[in-house]
Amino acid sequence: MTELRIIVTGGRSRNRREDYRTLEEDIRRLDAQRGDAAGVTIIQGGCPDGIDAMARSLARDYGFRVETVPADFDLHPDDAVEVSNQEMADRGARICIAFPNESGQSLGTWDMAHRAIAAGIKTVIYPQGKAKEVNTGEESEA
């Protein structure tokens, strides 16, 4: 059996109830559709607030595993976010759920989404509460 691995990425200011409900609905749907998957792992960047914090909370509520891949600015002062995003993309996820900030400043979130797409990971982007699906050829799951 293979586990279902999901990258969750988003802006620190995305703290609205609507965002929480959207993320919870997606995770619940994916959990119900996972079939023979051995379990669910949520991969996120470890920010103390925003979407990363929501993802960890939901994972705890549903009993999913959590992998945290924080940006290491001491080791990679010039490109810490890009390095951690690539590490998340390389961890075998089948789905990436992205919540960029509405201000358009979510460079790290957009970078993660683009890396996921380049890796062939099905990516769903929720800017301003509307879903924009980027289909990468994977079977529809979110």
Side-chain angles (χ1 to χ4, degrees):
M1 292 211 246
T2 314
E3 73 176 336
L4 175 60
R5 299 173 64 75
I6 305 167
I7 297 169
V8 178
T9 183
R12 292 179 184 194
S13 66
R14 294 289 298 261
N15 289 314
R16 300 178 312 193
R17 287 182 190 170
E18 174 185 330
D19 296 331
Y20 186 90
R21 282 192 299 268
T22 298
L23 182 57
E24 182 177 32
E25 287 170 9
D26 277 1
I27 289 175
R28 285 174 50 184
R29 184 173 45 252
L30 290 166
D31 183 38
Q33 293 175 352
R34 68 186 164 105
D36 67 347
V40 176
T41 297
I42 303 296
I43 305 165
Q44 47 74 49
C47 288
D49 46 17
I51 296 297
D52 288 1
M54 284 183 198
R56 289 190 305 277
S57 175
L58 284 168
R60 279 190 304 271
D61 291 347
Y62 285 89
F64 300 151
R65 287 180 291 283
V66 175
E67 291 182 11
T68 301
V69 185
D72 186 340
F73 289 95
D74 292 330
L75 188 59
H76 304 284
D78 297 326
D79 58 357
V81 172
E82 293 85 355
V83 170
S84 67
N85 284 346
Q86 188 59 53
E87 184 178 337
M88 286 191 279
D90 292 343
R91 289 193 173 201
R94 290 181 20 207
I95 309 273
C96 175
I97 305 170
F99 290 82
N101 287 336
E102 296 176 47
S103 66
Q105 296 298 316
S106 291
L107 299 178
T109 302
W110 285 112
D111 179 73
M112 181 68 253
H114 290 131
R115 288 174 190 275
I117 292 165
I121 299 167
K122 179 183 166 134
T123 302
V124 179
I125 302 170
Y126 289 101
Q128 300 177 341
K130 284 189 142 180
K132 175 184 176 188
E133 182 173 324
V134 179
N135 190 336
T136 62
E138 295 289 317
E139 293 182 26
S140 180
E141 297 187 44

